[in-house]
Each structure stands twice: as C-alpha cells, then as structure tokens.
Amino acid sequence: MCGIIGFVGSQQAAPILLNGLKRLEYRGYDSAGIAVIDNGELIIRRSVGKLSQLDALLAEQPVGGTIGIGHTRWATHGRPSEQNAHPHRSGDVVIVHNGIIENYLALKHRLEAQGYRFDSETDTEVIAHLVAAALTRGRTLAQAVREAAQDLQGSYAIAALSVAEPATIVTTRSGCPLVMAHNEQGSFLASDVTPLLAHSRDVVYLEDGEIGILTPERLAVVDEAGQAVDRPLVRIDWDAEAAEKGGYPDFMVKEIHEQPRVIADTLRGRYRYDSGEADLPDLAMTAEELIHARRIWIVACGTSWHAGLVGKYLFEEMIRKPVQVDIGSEFRYREPMIQKDDLFVAISQSGETADTLEAAREAKKHGARVLAIVNVVGSTLAREADGVIYTRCGPEISVASTKAFTGQVIALYLLALHIGRVRGILSAEEGRWWLDQYLMIPSRVEHILKREADLRSIAERFYTKRNFLYLGRGINYPIALEGALKLKEISYIHAEGYAAGEMKHGPIALIDEEMPVVVLAPRDRLYEKTVNNLMEVRARNAPVIALVTEGDQELAHLAEAVFPIPHVHPLLSPVLFAVALQLLAYHIAVLRGLDVDRPRNLAKCVTVE
Ligand code: AGP
C-alpha cells in the first residue's frame, strides 16, 4: 500500500511531488522520498518517519528540475529507514515501486553475480538494477522497464527515470493500481487518483502489463508488444476525501472489501507448491526449534486474540499440536508456566499494544522463542520478536479491525502448514492439498462481498434491537466472539459471543423475542448439535439469523434470516464467517447513524495498560 507520484512538465517538480505525497498519506507510510533530474543531474532526497521530515529536508536542501518521482513507503521488506526508503537508484536510473516482488532474492543473487551492489534490504532495489542493466544493452527507458518487468514475479506498480532521457517518465504495473493524467502543465502519475485530482479529473488507468510513457507534451500507453494502446479518459467526480477511501463512504467498508487482496498478498510468495510447504523466511526459527518446541502459546488482545483462538482449533485439528491461548493482560500477571524453548506467538495489528508487548517480553524472559504476527513493519513487537510473519494488509485506518484479523488468520494457516510439514505430520501431498484450499479463499470472500446487499437487508430488520447473542461451535466459536465484538464496538449494541453448547448453562435465560441470535451453522461435524441449539433459541421466540453453508435448505424454515456462506473446508470457514459478520455489524452501525471509523471511547492502538 505504498504511494507513488510522478510529474514531468513546465513546473518545478518538487512541490508537485510533495503535495501529491501528502494526499497519499492515508495509505500509510514509514518513510518517503523524491528523485528529480535538474540540469542533467539526478538528485534524491529521502527521509524516514513522517512526511514532514521530507518536507523539512527539502526546505533545508531544495531541489530544482521539472521532472521527478516520489514515494511514501509502507514497508513489506526491510525495516523503515532512509536506506530502505524509495526512490532506489542504480547508476543513472531511479525507480519507485508499490507491491511485492516474490522472486526478488533470486534476482538479487543474479544481479550481484553480474557485479551489482545492493544498498538496501528491499525487494524494490532489484528493479532499479534490472532497468539499468537493460539500458546498458542499448534499450530505451520504456524498453528497459518492459524487459525488467518480464523478470518480475509478484505485484508491482513502478515509475522510472533515467538521466539518459531527462524528459520522460516510464511506468508499468501488474496487480497494483497506476493512474495518469495530463494538463497544460505537463503529465502526472500516481498510485491512485487522489493526488491527481488537484491537476485533472480526467485520468487514464493503466492496465496490467501496459507501459505508460509520460512527457511534458503527452501521455502514451503501449502494450507488452510495444503497440500503442488508445486508453480512454475516465472522468473522476469524487472529491479528494472520497478518493482516499477509494470511493467507499468510509475506511471500514473499504478495508472489508480489501480482504481478497489482503489474503492473496499475505499468501503471496510464502509457499512452495511443489513440496507442499510454507516459505516463511522471516520466521528466523530452525526446523529443530519448531520440532522441539515443548508448547505453543498464542497471546494477543481484542480481535487479535480472537485470531489466536482460531489458531488454537486450527493447530490442534490440522497438525495435532496443543496450543495455550491467552489475553495479553491476563498472561503477564498470572505467573505463566512458560518455559525455555516454548514457542510464543504474539499477534498484533499495530505491534504496539502494551498488553501484548509486555506479555511477549515476559515470555522472552523465560527463554521462549517469540514469533510476531504483525501488520506494521518496524513496530516495537516486530523489532523485539525473534521471528515475524507480516500480514501485509496495508494500513488499517478504521478502529474496528477487519482486514488485519483476516491477515492474522491467514498467517496462522501458513504457520500451521509450516509446522505440520516440518514435524512430518503433513505429507507433501497433504501440504499441496491445504495450499489448494488456502488459494481458494480470496474468491470465496469475493463471493460474500458480492452479497453485501443481503446482509444490509438483514441489518435493516434488526438494527433497532438492544441486545444480540452470537453462537458458534468449534473453530467458529472465536468467530462468534469476533462478530459480537464488531457489533459492540461500532454500533454500541450490547452483544455477547458464546460457545453454542454453553448457552444452556445460563445465557438461555436472556433469550426472548427482543434478542436476535446470530447462529454460525456451517455443515461441519458439529452441525446437528448447532441446529439443536438453534431450536432451543427458536423455542423461546428469539429471532434467529443463521449463517449456513451455501445450499443448506434445512434452516430456512427455522430462522428469520439466513445468509449462505460458500463451502470451504471447515477449518477455513472462520475467515468467511468473519467477513459476513463484519458487514452485518457495519450496516447495523451505519443504519444507527454512527461513525464506523471512529467509534466513541476507542483508540486504534492501545499503547497503555
Ligand atoms: C478490534 O476491532 C479492536 N479495535 C481491538 O480489539 C484490537 O483488536 C486490539 O486492541 C488489539 O490491537 P492490536 O491488534 O493492534 O494489538
């Protein structure tokens, strides 16, 4: 989710680039930089931290020139630092990049063997050297970028400059957005429309594999074969704020809809299909350490704790490994029996949650190996852990965690596969089978998102209620907890998540016609028991909202509302049920006229005890 900006024309580039980067701040950043060509000289200015640092740097060391590219970095490879900040240079070539290059290590080794020296820890730098290498073979910048792109695997949007062509910016994309515009001042490009709206509302969207060529006079688009493409202008009527939300009314629903990409990105480049293995280079733990880990602990808070609970059921059923799951604020004060060589998994979107951080420190004191599942590269938890699995969600702006939860669960699926293969519990064939299941999840989530209107209709029938009960069994019991938390924190309706089998031990006394009961009823081995619980609820006249496996007609006559969930292996159903419950909570809160992105009393990151 990095931000890219570019300009070539009759105006000074630096102010245009900086203002463009400021419009991209919502995409999150931990460092930023620009590159310009001024009188034939390539000049780069980069800074770590807030954009204001780059602003101050440019005030101290201004740069001229009417062509340049800029970048705000949301780190995926390599910690936030000036050295890892974009733009990245190779000789007289400089590039900025958004995305993830899956095969960067192989390319890096190849380029080092050709004598290229790397200055950063990023995957991006390989692109600069590939373009530079193509230029040494007499290619134009456009040809060089196209040749470099042919070597890349993964997702990218790239913009490149070369001193050899001081009035041309070349751009290309695969899987990441890239938009261009032109006016009387010159030509502009960006990773989304937001920064372009200050210059033009008529934009050109580049498509995967195409090359954009920007000069002061015009924009040109060519396809992979170098043939000119006549790409029509698109009129953007959004205002800048709507553009930051990608046209969605708020960040929460935008982030809910980003989940197919988040799942694909979190899986991207992290498995070897042929051997049915996960590939987690940042894990920093040997096979022996994982094999000999006496116990596995998962500790987190809030929604991240719910992801940890999913992990418990997953590890026990998929790889027969018991897991102790705890809330951060409980673990650290309980004299936990954690020992040397235990594996301690800390899950946190922000990587700054005090209760989780202190729990991880407690675990380290006892000699456990700490693995962080975290979204923010360079966060305190990421830096203090022994190993990391990043969830690659991009910045999660809305206080209610949605895509981060999904990313956390996907990271746990990868970890379970890794441990299962390392411990010999899963064969290569079983590993490939699980990977096939994982790779189907994005499309199944997409299918649910397409049915959002049905969830809005259900919300319209129940948004005035004052209490909800969410019931789930097995691996979907944590999803009942998560669904209730989502509703509580954005609609302020009291909601409880409960193990369905536990309802008869007390909560059933609460049930009446005024209490909607959301029942998660997938066609798994607990289905019949869940149906019994649903009947108990119906017998007390409570309205039932049943989430069922697609095609299940049995519950249609038992529930006031039924929402079908695409069929997946039961252990993979939590992500799908969670997405449906996110949308249900979202639409109830919107119908209640509440600010879904900034709920009362809540902070995005709880850095205090
Ligand atoms: C989730 O919707 C909440 N905003 C909250 O429970 C959150 O999950 C919790 O504070 C943990 O935050 P972390 O993932 O950044 O550690």
Side-chain angles (χ1 to χ4, degrees):
M1 277 283 276
C2 303
I4 289 176
I5 187 80
F7 170 73
V8 56
S10 58
Q11 309 294 310
Q12 286 298 300
I16 292 173
L17 299 176
L18 198 57
N19 289 330
L21 293 179
K22 286 174 181 170
R23 294 302 325 177
L24 291 167
E25 273 191 286
Y26 75 93
R27 294 171 70 93
Y29 59 89
D30 44 55
S31 51
I34 68 168
V36 297
I37 297 177
D38 185 13
N39 290 324
E41 183 191 2
L42 185 57
I43 306 169
I44 296 175
R45 295 280 185 271
R46 301 184 303 191
S47 66
V48 68
K50 293 193 178 305
L51 213 46
S52 54
Q53 307 283 10
L54 180 63
D55 206 345
L57 179 60
L58 287 166
E60 276 173 41
Q61 303 171 36
V63 294
T66 58
I67 181 172
I69 52 179
H71 185 273
T72 55
R73 182 169 183 247
W74 176 267
T76 55
H77 293 74
R79 59 189 163 67
S81 67
E82 190 275 334
Q83 177 196 35
N84 288 333
H86 301 208
H88 287 286
R89 177 175 189 167
S90 179
D92 287 339
V93 169
V94 69
I95 64 111
V96 291
H97 160 237
N98 176 26
I100 297 165
I101 305 302
E102 295 176 25
N103 62 330
Y104 86 96
L105 277 176
L107 292 172
K108 181 171 182 176
H109 296 148
R110 189 181 92 190
L111 288 159
E112 285 174 328
Q114 293 170 3
Y116 287 94
R117 189 176 56 79
F118 281 74
D119 299 324
S120 79
E121 304 162 316
T122 66
D123 55 341
T124 300
E125 197 179 346
V126 299
I127 306 170
H129 294 313
L130 286 172
V131 173
L135 287 175
T136 62
R137 296 193 292 271
R139 304 292 188 266
T140 65
L141 183 58
Q143 292 167 338
V145 168
R146 188 164 69 235
E147 279 189 21
Q150 286 160 356
D151 275 337
L152 303 178
Q153 293 168 19
S155 62
Y156 53 83
I158 300 165
L161 286 185
S162 166
V163 172
E165 297 181 43
T168 301
I169 302 176
V170 173
T171 180
T172 191
R173 57 155 286 180
S174 176
C176 291
L178 203 293
V179 196
M180 305 179 290
H182 182 77
N183 67 14
E184 67 287 349
Q185 292 179 343
S187 298
F188 306 78
L189 66 85
S191 39
D192 71 36
V193 294
T194 316
L196 300 185
L197 297 179
H199 308 291
S200 172
R201 287 192 170 277
D202 296 314
V203 301
V204 174
Y205 284 93
L206 205 59
E207 301 292 342
D208 280 353
E210 291 177 342
I211 302 283
I213 302 167
L214 294 84
T215 60
E217 299 75 27
R218 61 193 290 268
L219 299 174
V221 177
V222 298
D223 63 19
E224 286 167 308
Q227 297 305 308
V229 172
D230 179 18
R231 171 73 69 249
L233 290 175
V234 174
R235 180 79 182 166
I236 301 294
D237 295 326
W238 298 336
D239 61 23
E241 191 191 346
E244 285 181 8
K245 296 166 186 168
Y248 289 101
D250 45 59
F251 281 110
M252 182 172 179
V253 75
K254 177 186 178 220
E255 289 161 2
I256 290 172
H257 281 262
E258 285 178 347
Q259 290 179 110
R261 175 192 61 75
V262 163
I263 295 164
D265 280 354
T266 302
L267 289 169
R268 194 185 303 280
R270 288 172 155 173
Y271 57 89
R272 289 189 292 273
Y273 186 80
D274 295 345
S275 59
E277 293 176 312
D279 183 8
L280 301 169
D282 298 333
L283 204 60
M285 287 170 196
T286 63
E288 286 64 36
E289 282 172 315
L290 291 174
I291 290 170
H292 299 129
R294 202 176 54 83
R295 270 202 297 183
I296 296 180
W297 302 71
I298 302 180
V299 174
C301 301
T303 286
S304 301
W305 173 58
H306 296 153
L309 286 172
V310 171
K312 174 187 177 63
Y313 288 90
L314 179 72
F315 279 50
E316 288 178 350
E317 292 189 36
M318 182 177 164
I319 58 171
R320 308 303 298 146
K321 183 69 183 165
V323 176
Q324 166 84 30
V325 181
D326 251 317
I327 297 170
S329 54
E330 287 297 310
F331 174 86
R332 55 187 295 214
Y333 292 116
R334 213 198 46 234
E335 300 301 322
M337 306 293 288
I338 193 161
Q339 294 181 355
K340 189 173 171 344
D341 302 332
D342 282 356
L343 174 61
F344 182 93
V345 181
I347 303 178
S348 176
Q349 187 285 131
S350 62
E352 304 298 343
T353 299
D355 289 330
T356 307
L357 279 175
E358 291 305 329
R361 289 164 183 159
E362 184 72 18
K364 273 199 121 168
K365 268 193 289 193
H366 286 75
R369 301 284 286 154
V370 175
L371 168 62
I373 293 179
V374 65
N375 191 40
V376 181
V377 177
S379 58
T380 304
L381 180 63
R383 282 183 285 106
E384 294 185 3
D386 298 304
V388 176
I389 303 178
Y390 286 116
T391 47
R392 292 177 177 171
C393 303
E396 188 174 66
I397 310 286
S398 185
V399 167
S401 190
T402 51
K403 62 177 182 175
F405 171 79
T406 308
Q408 291 162 356
V409 174
I410 297 299
L412 287 165
Y413 286 144
L414 285 168
L415 182 59
L417 174 61
H418 182 64
I419 294 175
R421 293 285 290 116
V422 158
R423 297 172 65 94
I425 293 155
L426 297 175
S427 67
E429 186 184 358
E430 288 169 323
R432 280 191 292 275
W433 185 86
W434 279 111
L435 285 170
D436 288 337
Q437 310 314 305
Y438 295 175
L439 294 168
M440 279 192 287
I441 299 175
S443 62
R444 299 291 191 274
V445 170
E446 202 64 70
H447 184 81
I448 291 173
L449 297 173
K450 288 190 173 72
R451 305 282 304 270
E452 179 175 2
D454 296 342
L455 288 160
R456 186 167 50 245
S457 303
I458 294 173
E460 285 162 357
R461 296 169 53 192
F462 298 103
Y463 75 95
T464 60
K465 299 300 181 185
R466 299 174 54 78
N467 298 283
F468 275 68
L469 185 62
Y470 287 69
L471 301 178
R473 279 182 179 265
I475 199 167
N476 283 305
Y477 161 45
I479 304 306
L481 297 175
E482 174 59 13
L485 176 62
K486 283 285 109 25
L487 189 68
K488 274 186 279 223
E489 62 178 332
I490 62 174
S491 72
Y492 316 146
I493 294 172
H494 173 251
E496 282 196 78
Y498 245 90
E502 190 62 9
M503 188 188 59
K504 55 188 176 295
H505 299 286
I508 200 165
L510 291 171
I511 290 176
D512 62 21
E513 63 284 353
E514 284 308 308
M515 177 183 254
V517 179
V518 179
V519 180
L520 310 182
R523 272 280 187 187
D524 59 14
R525 57 189 169 82
L526 300 171
Y527 176 76
E528 282 69 28
K529 298 193 180 305
T530 303
V531 171
N532 291 340
N533 298 141
L534 192 154
M535 304 285 280
E536 291 158 9
V537 170
R538 288 290 299 141
R540 285 146 184 91
N541 303 318
V544 171
I545 301 167
L547 276 61
V548 301
T549 299
E550 212 146 57
D552 180 348
Q553 300 300 329
E554 277 187 52
L555 302 184
H557 66 286
L558 284 175
E560 268 67 22
V562 176
F563 184 80
I565 300 288
H567 177 72
V568 290
H569 186 280
L571 290 182
L572 305 186
S573 60
V575 168
L576 304 187
F577 280 94
V579 170
L581 296 183
Q582 291 165 1
L583 287 171
L584 179 63
Y586 170 79
H587 285 292
I588 288 174
V590 168
L591 286 164
R592 291 168 70 94
L594 297 170
D595 180 347
V596 291
D597 282 341
R598 287 175 295 277
R600 69 185 182 196
N601 309 338
L602 284 177
K604 181 59 188 169
C605 173
V606 183
T607 56
V608 295
E609 287 196 36

